[in-house]
Amino acid sequence: KAGVTQTPRYLIKTRGQQVTLSCSPISGHRSVSWYQQTPGQGLQFLFEYFSETQRNKGNFPGRFSGRQFSNSRSEMNVSTLELGDSALYLCASSTGPAKRLFFGSGTQLSVL
Amino acid sequence: TQLLEQSPQFLSIQEGENLTVYCNSSSVFSSLQWYRQEPGEGPVLLVTVVTGGEVKKLKRLTFQFGDARKDSSLHITAAQPGDTGLYLCAGARTGTASKLTFGTGTRLQVTL
């Protein structure tokens, strides 16, 4: 069974631009969560989607948004990028809420 | 605000030594998980503890959940180079179990 797939693996953007990251969950998994990982703040929860509905949201500004499609694939978008948005963005899937999380390898975003 | 503090932050030991990593919080969690993350990869779940005082063993790794469900520890016996990685604890609260609060992390290096 294929694991969680995140694309792209690496991304370089400049301040003010926007970016879209993609996550394909493990087949049969209907819940997708997103986390931001930085050296200073560690791993922080962004949001969780289940059956195309946002179930939980972390304490991030409105520039961070996400969505989930009917095939459970998910995207997150960051608008008006700031230098501080440079981070590893991790996606995790599970069979449902409160079930074991399986993480992808992440998208490393660098904002210049 | 980082709700889960891990100690030590860094640990460099030789093969065969024992070590303990601590995860402390002032908050109560319904369950606590331990992950290991290797460079370029997402975190991988090692164990979940849910009952205060619970002890779980995974080969040379022993995990304990505090009686008050506010803290946890990970003990590794006879460390091996393959144990090298970033160890993360993560707490979950009832009703938002997929919204994990991650610890600050302990980076372990085991050398020959």
Side-chain angles (χ1 to χ4, degrees):
Chain A
K1 202 181 231 186
V4 178
T5 303
Q6 290 189 246
T7 57
R9 187 74 178 87
Y10 300 95
L11 204 49
I12 299 175
K13 292 285 187 179
T14 57
R15 280 181 297 174
Q17 288 186 311
Q18 73 166 15
V19 66
T20 299
L21 311 181
S22 179
C23 173
S24 293
I26 292 171
S27 178
H29 286 195
R30 295 171 60 196
S31 181
V32 172
S33 301
W34 288 90
Y35 287 80
Q36 180 197 66
Q37 186 174 28
T38 60
Q41 298 297 317
L43 269 136
Q44 294 186 291
F45 174 81
L46 281 157
F47 22 66
E48 177 198 7
Y49 289 89
F50 177 70
S51 295
E52 301 179 67
T53 301
Q54 187 179 89
R55 281 179 43 89
N56 282 299
K57 190 177 188 306
N59 297 323
F60 279 82
R63 300 186 295 108
F64 291 80
S65 63
R67 58 178 175 169
Q68 186 180 32
F69 302 96
S70 58
N71 62 357
S72 294
R73 191 176 70 84
S74 177
E75 288 181 348
M76 68 163 281
N77 184 276
V78 188
S79 63
T80 319
L81 284 166
E82 301 177 0
L83 296 179
D85 297 333
S86 294
L88 179 66
Y89 289 89
L90 291 161
C91 166
S93 74
S94 61
T95 54
K99 299 298 184 183
R100 173 182 175 173
L101 294 181
F102 292 83
F103 283 86
S105 298
T107 292
Q108 183 67 54
L109 171 65
S110 296
V111 182
L112 306 178
Chain B
T1 302
Q2 189 57 263
L3 298 180
L4 278 168
E5 295 289 339
Q6 287 184 235
S7 62
Q9 192 175 358
F10 300 99
L11 200 50
S12 182
I13 61 172
Q14 291 189 316
E15 185 180 18
E17 292 186 33
N18 302 331
L19 67 117
T20 302
V21 177
Y22 299 94
C23 173
N24 295 299
S25 172
S26 58
S27 302
V28 175
F29 292 98
S30 60
S31 67
L32 202 132
Q33 303 172 15
W34 283 91
Y35 291 82
R36 182 170 66 213
Q37 184 178 20
E38 299 186 24
E41 301 295 329
V44 175
L45 180 67
L46 296 173
V47 77
T48 300
V49 285
V50 297
T51 305
E54 182 177 5
V55 177
K56 278 192 174 179
K57 291 191 176 184
L58 184 66
K59 296 183 181 178
R60 294 175 294 100
L61 279 61
T62 301
F63 305 85
Q64 185 164 6
F65 201 11
D67 292 339
R69 290 186 290 131
K70 292 183 179 180
D71 53 83
S72 181
S73 64
L74 157 61
H75 182 78
I76 301 178
T77 303
Q80 299 177 358
D83 296 326
T84 293
L86 177 66
Y87 287 81
L88 297 157
C89 62
R93 291 194 173 84
T94 304
T96 59
S98 294
K99 183 180 176 181
L100 296 175
T101 298
F102 276 86
T104 48
T106 294
R107 193 165 295 279
L108 171 66
Q109 182 171 19
V110 183
T111 56
L112 294 170

